[in-house]
Amino acid sequence: MAKSNSKCSFLFLALLLLICCSVLQSVWSHEDEHPLSKVAVHKATLSLLELAHIKASPSLLGLQGQTAEWVTVEYSSPIPSTDDWIGVFSPANFSDSTCQSENPRVFPPLLCSAPIKFQYASYSNPHYKETGKGVLKFQLINQRSDFSFALFSGGLSNPKVVAVSNTISFANPNAPVYPRLALGKLWNEMTVTWTSGYGIDEAEPLVQWGLKGGDHILSPAGTLTFTRNSMCGAPARTVGWRDPGYIHTSFLKELWPNRVYEYKIGHKLNNGTYIWGPKYQFRAAPFPGQKSLQRVAIFGDMGKDEVDGSNEYNNFQRGSINTTNQLIKDLENFDLVFHIGDICYANGYISQWDQFTAQVEPIASTVPYMIASGNHERDWPGTGSFYGNMDSGGECGVLAQTMFYVPASNRAKFWYSIDYGMFRFCIADTEHDWREGTEQYKFIEHCLASVDRQKQPWLIFLAHRVLGYSSCISYAEEGSFAEPLGRESLQKLWQRHKVDIAIYGHVHNYERTCPIYQNICTNEEKHHYKGTLNGTIHIVAGGAGASLSTFTYLKTQWSIFKDYDYGFVKLTAFDHSNLLFEYKKSRDGKVYDSFEISRDYRDILACTIDSCPSLTMAS
């Protein structure tokens, strides 16, 4: 009987271990495989069928200056199969004749690059296998080159080109597109970054801007780009490579606080004519310490999705689209956005950065869109990242550093600070070493220590990986409940300088802790904090879009609220004494968790454990 019980116990433990491994795999599996990586480009062959065809219409897009349009694709095959699929390629000529000498293909070298997106032929065409006919609608964005569609058989793992469509193009593929605002290094400076197909030998990039209703001036822009050789590995350097065009940044200086400005991006061609984008507007930042209503959205790991359902992103649920749409819907109630790492999960498929900047354009063109570096932007072995994994797909930070502006002293080291009205934000780069004695540690210490809390009482720490507390099952299995060495290195800084809130991404869910120091809750209140917190509230806000992360079954005493769903957080500073924190779900924009902090300046001055030197009785 004892032997039987022992055997049952062993089987139970084995089953439990298998379940845990399965859960862990589901938590992180999306990070291992980009949908485009499923396309076996190197195995592609040419198998054109006489009776197969594929046609796309309209053939010319953007006649009214549109940067995104829908295209109807009609196709047929004499031998249809459930694994037939449609690939979207750009440039339109995707044959082996475009292969770089440094990018040789094993026989047969038909394709040199992955498609921008793909969809199965039977998607929205349930009778395709019987009829061999189907219709799909794709949304194309202006990406500086023409497009073509190809009908494939053989599935994604053994692709055979059955038919190739006509060419689709935008009226002006070089047009300036997808402006991204960001705060500059000075409080009264706004930067505008955009993408175009115009090099500096073809046209001068510039911004026309001024106070709303007032006179406008022209400001020049700088131009950056990068080459395949700038990438650190595959697929960014091989099948994921696509010419990024040119990225321009202009600095709009000496802005009046809280005033509304108008602007439009453009280029002066060599023949003297101008190409302009649409007109946008933004509100300048408040003066540091200024009392006004200040509202900030913060989230991580949003990624991108395709509104036409392609690339199988819908398998991860559409948290990304829902989050984007909720922010757009409520944009008049936000002044600033922080996307704290894992920006678009391009993972080396460079075309996806265009797709992402197009997706967030309504947000980023209107309010400053500040980013932090995540593992999917930076990490690559042998490139100086703190982690030796391959999560960036060979991008090694180049795309994030170039496509978006951040006011860092060195953009290869993605840490920086932001003074916004009554807020001081200290943004860390978890993909570089943060431990005591490092360059980044010294930056964090200075950022926290140098703020004048009478003027900027709300001190917020932001980072991608969880350096504080998380009940994610993977961290629980490690026994650390956070990134190993994170708290050990930084919690004394948070405590000494009385950081109010620390917010992280990386873990794809929502969680809020009590005010905490050294694993102990320092305040029993849950929703309305008055006076000094005596510790820092830690928030995980990584559920903006990517597939969700599972919580541990273990009870973590410091965890006040958990939510296995998509969402983002919002900070609202009403004045120097009152701050509101809200967690909103992406699906409906409603508040599901919140708390308030109410205090006076003397409460910040008050000593707590490890925050002040010992008192002396000397007189």
Side-chain angles (χ1 to χ4, degrees):
M1 184 69 177
K3 186 179 291 186
S4 176
N5 287 338
S6 176
K7 184 176 181 181
C8 289
S9 298
F10 174 79
L11 289 173
F12 174 76
L13 288 172
L15 180 60
L16 186 61
L17 180 62
L18 183 63
I19 291 171
C20 286
C21 290
S22 175
V23 170
L24 282 169
Q25 177 67 23
S26 68
V27 168
W28 301 112
S29 61
H30 74 281
E31 301 194 357
D32 297 330
E33 188 173 32
H34 191 284
L36 294 179
S37 70
K38 298 178 182 179
V39 181
V41 172
H42 62 288
K43 291 184 179 180
T45 57
L46 193 64
S47 300
L48 296 178
L49 298 176
E50 186 176 350
L51 297 179
H53 92 282
I54 180 168
K55 180 183 178 182
S57 60
S59 59
L60 187 60
L61 311 176
L63 291 172
Q64 304 300 319
Q66 305 97 315
T67 58
E69 288 215 55
W70 287 87
V71 172
T72 300
V73 180
E74 301 176 66
Y75 48 91
S76 65
S77 172
I79 47 173
S81 172
T82 54
D83 60 1
D84 290 355
W85 57 281
I86 309 294
V88 184
F89 290 88
S90 179
N93 179 13
F94 58 88
S95 72
D96 61 342
S97 64
T98 65
C99 288
Q100 299 278 330
S101 58
E102 65 183 50
N103 187 29
R105 288 277 152 245
V106 179
F107 175 83
L110 180 69
L111 300 182
C112 290
S113 62
I116 284 179
K117 60 172 80 176
F118 67 85
Q119 184 54 272
Y120 286 99
S122 57
Y123 182 81
S124 73
N125 297 280
H127 303 296
Y128 170 75
K129 191 175 184 303
E130 292 76 35
T131 65
K133 297 180 179 181
V135 177
L136 285 174
K137 288 186 177 295
F138 288 91
Q139 187 186 65
L140 298 184
I141 65 167
N142 194 342
Q143 287 183 268
R144 304 169 305 284
S145 192
D146 52 8
F147 299 83
S148 64
F149 297 81
L151 174 60
F152 287 84
S153 65
L156 302 178
S157 59
N158 191 28
K160 301 177 178 62
V161 179
V162 172
V164 180
S165 80
N166 52 301
T167 297
I168 305 292
S169 60
F170 275 82
N172 181 8
N174 295 325
V177 290
Y178 321 129
R180 287 91 73 183
L181 297 174
L183 298 172
K185 292 184 179 180
L186 301 176
W187 72 267
N188 60 350
E189 182 177 63
M190 187 73 74
T191 69
V192 186
T193 299
W194 71 95
T195 307
S196 85
Y198 292 116
I200 57 175
D201 57 338
E202 302 172 273
E204 297 176 3
L206 68 166
V207 177
Q208 185 183 84
W209 65 285
L211 283 167
K212 186 176 182 180
D215 295 334
H216 290 187
I217 63 172
L218 297 178
S219 289
T223 298
L224 295 173
T225 189
F226 51 88
T227 67
R228 188 192 300 265
N229 291 335
S230 305
M231 303 294 98
C232 295
R237 199 163 181 160
T238 56
V239 297
W241 171 255
R242 187 178 189 274
D243 191 319
Y246 300 94
I247 295 88
H248 316 279
T249 299
S250 183
F251 296 80
L252 316 184
K253 301 182 178 183
E254 298 183 355
L255 305 179
W256 292 85
N258 277 23
R259 295 289 295 275
V260 175
Y261 285 81
E262 298 173 322
Y263 76 97
K264 59 181 179 180
I265 55 177
H267 296 262
K268 182 181 179 181
L269 305 183
N270 289 340
N271 63 9
T273 61
Y274 289 85
I275 302 293
W276 294 109
K279 184 182 290 185
Y280 302 92
Q281 67 180 37
F282 65 85
R283 184 178 297 276
F287 184 79
Q290 177 179 311
K291 177 187 172 182
S292 60
L293 186 64
Q294 296 154 18
R295 304 153 301 179
V296 185
I298 306 171
F299 52 85
D301 307 72
M302 185 167 76
K304 58 167 284 293
D305 199 356
E306 296 288 348
V307 294
D308 56 25
S310 57
N311 286 19
E312 299 182 312
Y313 280 99
N314 49 321
N315 289 353
F316 299 141
Q317 304 179 39
R318 298 200 167 187
S320 175
I321 293 293
N322 284 346
T323 300
T324 302
N325 288 343
Q326 282 299 336
L327 290 168
I328 294 170
K329 184 178 179 180
D330 201 29
L331 197 54
E332 64 181 15
N333 293 313
F334 293 102
D335 304 300
L336 176 63
V337 167
F338 282 100
H339 187 159
I340 50 176
D342 286 5
I343 308 301
C344 66
Y345 292 91
N347 295 8
Y349 292 93
I350 294 172
S351 65
Q352 305 305 289
W353 282 89
D354 286 321
Q355 303 283 326
F356 177 80
T357 53
Q359 177 176 310
V360 299
E361 182 201 29
I363 306 167
S365 63
T366 306
V367 299
Y369 198 96
M370 313 304 299
I371 69 169
S373 179
N375 50 304
H376 284 278
E377 284 76 57
R378 180 63 184 85
D379 294 358
W380 192 259
T383 65
S385 57
F386 193 37
Y387 298 85
N389 58 47
M390 305 172 75
D391 290 352
S392 76
E395 293 178 14
C396 55
V398 173
L399 271 296
Q401 296 162 25
T402 311
M403 297 293 289
F404 285 83
Y405 176 84
V406 296
S409 297
N410 180 344
R411 285 162 72 181
K413 299 172 182 177
F414 232 76
W415 53 78
Y416 61 98
S417 64
I418 290 292
D419 288 327
Y420 190 88
M422 295 175 286
F423 287 102
R424 160 69 63 89
F425 293 97
C426 297
I427 298 90
D429 179 355
T430 57
E431 309 318 299
H432 283 86
D433 197 346
W434 64 79
R435 293 173 296 181
E436 191 166 359
T438 62
E439 182 183 359
Q440 181 169 197
Y441 182 91
K442 294 174 184 176
F443 157 78
I444 295 170
E445 184 173 32
H446 179 264
C447 184
L448 299 178
S450 61
V451 61
D452 182 345
R453 299 298 288 274
Q454 186 175 16
K455 295 182 176 66
Q456 294 173 290
W458 310 116
L459 183 54
I460 314 296
F461 179 83
L462 303 177
H464 176 62
R465 292 176 186 263
V466 180
L467 301 179
Y469 296 84
S470 167
S471 300
C472 176
I473 189 170
S474 61
Y475 284 140
E477 293 292 328
E478 289 176 351
S480 59
F481 292 99
E483 206 67 31
L485 305 178
R487 289 197 303 274
E488 289 85 343
S489 298
L490 297 172
Q491 64 178 339
K492 287 186 179 179
L493 288 183
W494 298 326
Q495 186 73 358
R496 184 185 312 141
H497 301 294
K498 300 185 177 71
V499 172
D500 294 304
I501 306 172
I503 305 178
Y504 316 99
H506 196 59
V507 171
H508 305 162
N509 54 39
Y510 169 76
E511 185 171 16
R512 169 167 68 99
T513 75
C514 58
I516 189 170
Y517 178 52
Q518 292 184 337
N519 292 302
I520 298 173
C521 291
T522 60
N523 195 312
E524 295 183 359
E525 177 57 46
K526 290 182 171 57
H527 295 288
H528 196 170
Y529 300 98
K530 295 182 178 180
T532 182
L533 293 175
N534 297 319
T536 298
I537 297 171
H538 293 261
I539 305 292
V540 172
S547 56
L548 295 169
S549 302
T550 307
F551 290 104
T552 177
Y553 63 89
L554 300 172
K555 182 172 177 57
T556 45
Q557 297 294 331
W558 35 259
S559 183
I560 288 181
F561 192 99
K562 302 185 188 76
D563 191 37
Y564 182 81
D565 204 349
Y566 297 104
F568 55 94
V569 304
K570 179 181 181 181
L571 300 177
T572 302
F574 296 101
D575 51 40
H576 291 80
S577 299
N578 294 282
L579 178 74
L580 173 65
F581 172 96
E582 297 171 298
Y583 162 63
K584 297 187 171 189
K585 292 200 182 193
S586 298
R587 74 163 85 112
D588 56 17
K590 294 181 180 178
V591 177
Y592 285 80
D593 183 38
S594 66
F595 64 84
E596 298 173 60
I597 301 175
S598 300
R599 63 161 182 244
D600 294 317
Y601 180 49
R602 65 176 181 271
D603 298 317
I604 304 175
L605 294 178
C607 293
T608 64
I609 182 171
D610 288 347
S611 71
C612 286
S614 300
L615 298 175
T616 176
M617 297 303 292
S619 62

